[in-house]
Amino acid sequence: MKFISIHTKHDSNLTISYKNEIKLILELERWYDERYFESSYNPLIFEKQWKEVLEYTYDYTGFDEFDLAVTSWVTPTQKTVLEALIKAKKWVTTDHHVSHATLAYHTSNFKTPLILSYDGGGNDGTLNVFDIQNERVNLIDTKPINMGSSYRLLATLMQEITHGEVQHRKCGNLSLSGKLMGYAALGKVIAEWVSPLKNYYITYRSPEQSLCFLGKQLNIELEMGTTLQKDIARNLAASAQKAYEEVVLDIIGSFIWKSSYDGVIVTGGCALNVITNSRIKSRFGIQVHVPPNPNDSGISTGALWYHNPPANKNPITYKGLLAIDNLSEKNKKVLDSAKTADIDEIADKLLDGSIVGILRGRSEVGPRALGNRSIIAYPENKALKDLINKNIKNREWFRPFAPVIPIDYSNFFLGEDVNSPFMSFSFLLRKDAVKRFPAVSHLDGTARVQTVSMEQNPWLYSLLKKINDKGGCPILLNTSFNVKGRPLITRYEDAFKILRETSLTHILIEDKLISKDDLEN
């Protein structure tokens, strides 16, 4: 049977499956090159947007008629347009957090987990708790706690995060949450601020009222548009992160002892808070799973699986778009004349200090670059962090970079065996690793590690092993192949543009390696 599933709000996406196998997960931000892309509420524009995407989808999969079409939290007008564009025998819907939870469950190895789904809100609330009954997610509690919007709102008060930029959402742009998490390492936790901040998260209802009340408790004047002094902002960030963790730990702690759960699953946009995910593991001594796309980019897949669950655990990590060849004639000549580079040559370039943008195969799903749309470099040089942040990514100096390591070498770098294939956790690096590889160590000595296996990504795993064979250590800096404010790249021309305009030294398109010098010849 053929299924199609559509999510139209921010992080718009679609999923197509056939005979219980995911054939494509298409995130519209990658297609339209607009981060966090949200479908238009103007029906004419909405129709144009989805008609274009669906035409590509039909051509790629060979399917243009479906047994079932699934939506999640779609407006009636949008639903009418979609019904005219998509030929389906039957239409159904799935609630927002049910979709998050279903996706996360079917990408885990757990049978009886406790599932926490939390974010800035869906049609079924902001924080829901599930267990599994008869191999389906089962809602056991919902709480009116909005951790997503309340956390992001605090970042709007911090000049080093916002730079005075216009915030298009009332509680701040969606990118602010990740920035705040990294910024927190610059400050100190003020013990007496933690309790008021926990109360702020739990009681948050509207931005103006919540900020005003929090300000009174902290003895700081707070309102929409406030710009805090640097030291206060940094300490507020550190304290807000600490309070955030404590609220989540309290919620999970109130459920974890009630049944024999074999793990904890965390999903929803707030599951991108890797520090909190790690605290859950350490506090409860239990395995924790976060899917590769816990934010709304995974909604369509979860919604589909709720009605058509996979027969087996279904890896979806690299089910995204193929790269699109849209090169100009000039750049096409450069690509055609470029030589194929094997892993041996790429390892040599990296050990010599090259910074390489990777555009290979199908894209990763979700917000993390996991080797197919990555910028990689050998992280021995401390200056590399500032160079990439300033001259390639054009982003804040305090933003950290992730190391990618072979799963069988995790103990060597972390002092423990870990499995972190989707950069979902923060780990304390061994002191000798921090000293030798400062470009992937955050200010507090932690790192958002990606472990990789031969099964997950053979090319990336083999590259790391080749670096080790050549006398280096099997570790690379891995960050998303994009620039500030843009999603992971999809088109060849964007790779050439970033190579030409930034300090990137090479791009690898499939297996063709191109240097800056090649652009001038």
Side-chain angles (χ1 to χ4, degrees):
M1 296 181 72
K2 298 186 288 288
F3 295 80
I4 186 170
S5 181
I6 302 287
H7 171 67
T8 64
K9 299 198 179 298
H10 73 75
D11 297 307
S12 295
N13 53 90
L14 69 82
T15 299
I16 288 182
S17 75
Y18 176 61
K19 293 183 177 179
N20 270 348
E21 181 184 349
I22 299 296
K23 293 299 183 181
L24 176 66
I25 299 171
L26 192 157
E27 299 171 49
L28 274 66
E29 69 166 23
R30 313 281 177 85
W31 183 264
Y32 287 112
D33 196 27
E34 179 183 327
R35 197 173 182 196
Y36 309 117
F37 181 90
E38 182 169 2
S39 305
S40 175
Y41 286 93
N42 180 309
L44 294 178
I45 298 175
F46 178 87
E47 179 181 17
K48 182 180 178 181
Q49 291 170 339
W50 280 95
K51 183 178 181 180
E52 179 179 327
V53 169
L54 288 166
E55 285 176 352
Y56 169 85
T57 300
Y58 298 159
D59 182 64
Y60 178 82
T61 63
F63 305 143
D64 60 4
E65 295 185 9
F66 301 92
D67 297 285
L68 184 72
V70 188
T71 59
S72 174
W73 194 21
V74 63
T75 68
T77 300
Q78 292 175 336
K79 178 81 175 296
T80 299
V81 173
L82 291 173
E83 288 175 340
L85 292 174
I86 299 170
K87 296 178 182 177
K89 295 177 182 178
K90 183 180 179 181
W91 287 78
V92 294
T93 188
T94 314
D95 287 335
H96 184 84
H97 285 284
V98 170
S99 301
H100 276 314
T102 301
L103 167 84
Y105 172 61
H106 287 298
T107 56
S108 79
N109 292 317
F110 302 144
K111 293 183 178 180
T112 57
L114 178 71
I115 304 174
L116 171 66
S117 177
Y118 69 133
D119 56 19
N123 68 308
D124 53 348
T126 53
L127 189 153
N128 287 0
V129 183
F130 300 85
D131 64 8
I132 300 298
Q133 299 291 334
N134 299 318
E135 299 185 346
R136 291 174 68 85
V137 298
N138 172 64
L139 180 67
I140 56 176
D141 198 10
T142 182
K143 295 181 181 296
I145 298 176
N146 188 333
M147 301 295 289
S149 299
S150 57
Y151 184 78
R152 198 170 72 243
L153 177 62
L154 295 176
T156 66
L157 312 175
M158 303 169 187
Q159 174 70 19
E160 289 180 287
I161 293 179
T162 67
H163 313 291
E165 295 173 352
V166 174
Q167 301 302 307
H168 300 291
R169 290 175 174 268
K170 194 170 187 179
C171 296
N173 297 339
L174 294 172
S175 63
L176 295 188
S177 295
K179 296 180 182 183
L180 176 55
M181 183 173 57
Y183 186 65
L186 276 68
K188 297 179 180 179
V189 175
I190 307 300
E192 55 268 30
W193 287 2
V194 173
S195 181
L197 280 161
K198 288 179 66 176
N199 184 64
Y200 160 78
Y201 288 132
I202 293 169
T203 62
Y204 175 87
R205 293 296 179 272
S206 71
E208 296 89 348
Q209 292 175 338
S210 297
L211 280 182
C212 181
F213 185 63
L214 176 63
K216 289 182 179 179
Q217 290 184 300
L218 301 183
N219 197 27
I220 303 172
E221 291 187 2
L222 296 180
E223 62 181 331
M224 300 292 289
T226 292
T227 299
L228 297 172
Q229 294 180 358
K230 183 168 69 174
D231 289 343
I232 295 176
R234 291 179 174 185
N235 292 341
L236 180 60
S239 304
Q241 174 61 37
K242 177 71 171 179
Y244 182 103
E245 298 162 24
E246 295 301 324
V247 170
V248 175
L249 292 171
D250 288 346
I251 292 169
I252 292 178
S254 68
F255 292 96
I256 197 70
W257 313 117
K258 294 181 180 180
S259 186
S260 298
Y261 298 111
D262 63 352
V264 171
I265 290 175
V266 188
T267 190
C270 290
L272 295 172
N273 194 304
V274 298
I275 304 172
T276 302
N277 297 341
S278 298
R279 288 287 309 279
I280 295 168
K281 289 178 69 173
S282 61
R283 169 67 65 88
F284 301 109
I286 193 169
Q287 289 298 306
V288 177
H289 171 73
V290 180
N293 47 351
N295 63 342
D296 285 5
S297 66
I299 286 290
S300 66
T301 308
L304 187 154
W305 275 346
Y306 183 74
H307 296 278
N308 182 47
N312 302 299
K313 295 301 178 183
N314 208 323
I316 60 171
T317 311
Y318 302 102
K319 292 291 188 179
L321 282 169
L322 284 166
I324 295 172
D325 182 353
N326 66 329
L327 287 177
S328 64
E329 285 300 317
K330 178 181 178 181
N331 287 337
K332 185 172 178 57
K333 290 178 181 179
V334 173
L335 180 63
D336 289 344
S337 63
K339 295 180 180 179
T340 298
D342 60 18
I343 283 176
D344 191 85
E345 181 180 352
I346 296 166
D348 284 336
K349 295 288 186 185
L350 291 166
L351 288 169
D352 287 341
S354 294
I355 307 171
V356 184
I358 308 297
L359 186 58
R360 299 184 76 255
R362 294 179 65 172
S363 177
E364 306 88 331
V365 300
R368 311 293 195 205
L370 302 174
N372 284 13
R373 302 290 183 271
S374 293
I375 292 172
I376 58 175
Y378 193 63
E380 274 191 322
N381 184 358
K382 183 178 181 179
L384 196 62
K385 184 187 293 186
D386 288 338
L387 174 67
I388 297 176
N389 268 333
K390 182 178 180 181
N391 296 337
I392 298 178
K393 306 284 284 187
N394 188 28
R395 66 181 196 176
E396 297 81 8
W397 66 271
F398 56 82
R399 302 281 294 280
F401 293 110
V404 55
I405 59 178
I407 189 169
D408 43 319
Y409 275 76
S410 61
N411 199 298
F412 181 81
F413 295 104
L414 307 175
E416 59 178 321
D417 294 324
V418 305
N419 181 27
S420 180
F422 313 130
M423 296 185 189
S424 303
F425 304 95
S426 175
F427 300 94
L428 193 65
L429 290 169
R430 287 175 49 168
K431 290 183 179 180
D432 54 343
V434 172
K435 186 175 181 180
R436 184 170 178 186
F437 303 109
V440 291
S441 173
H442 197 25
L443 300 166
D444 56 3
T446 63
R448 188 185 68 198
V449 174
Q450 177 195 357
T451 59
V452 65
S453 65
M454 177 63 83
E455 180 182 16
Q456 179 191 353
N457 192 320
W459 182 86
L460 182 57
Y461 182 84
S462 298
L463 176 61
L464 289 162
K465 286 303 185 79
K466 180 62 69 173
I467 288 171
N468 188 63
D469 293 343
K470 288 177 172 290
C473 281
I475 183 171
L476 287 170
L477 179 154
N478 178 15
T479 187
S480 53
F481 193 1
N482 63 352
V483 294
K484 184 179 179 181
R486 308 290 283 276
L488 295 178
I489 70 167
T490 295
R491 292 170 172 83
Y492 287 12
E493 195 67 41
D494 289 332
F496 273 80
K497 178 180 174 64
I498 295 173
L499 177 62
R500 183 177 293 109
E501 297 180 356
T502 73
S503 294
L504 201 67
T505 65
H506 296 78
I507 55 176
L508 184 72
I509 296 184
E510 299 308 336
D511 291 315
K512 295 285 192 78
L513 187 65
I514 301 160
S515 70
K516 278 191 186 298
D517 291 341
D518 294 330
L519 299 181
E520 307 303 323
N521 296 332

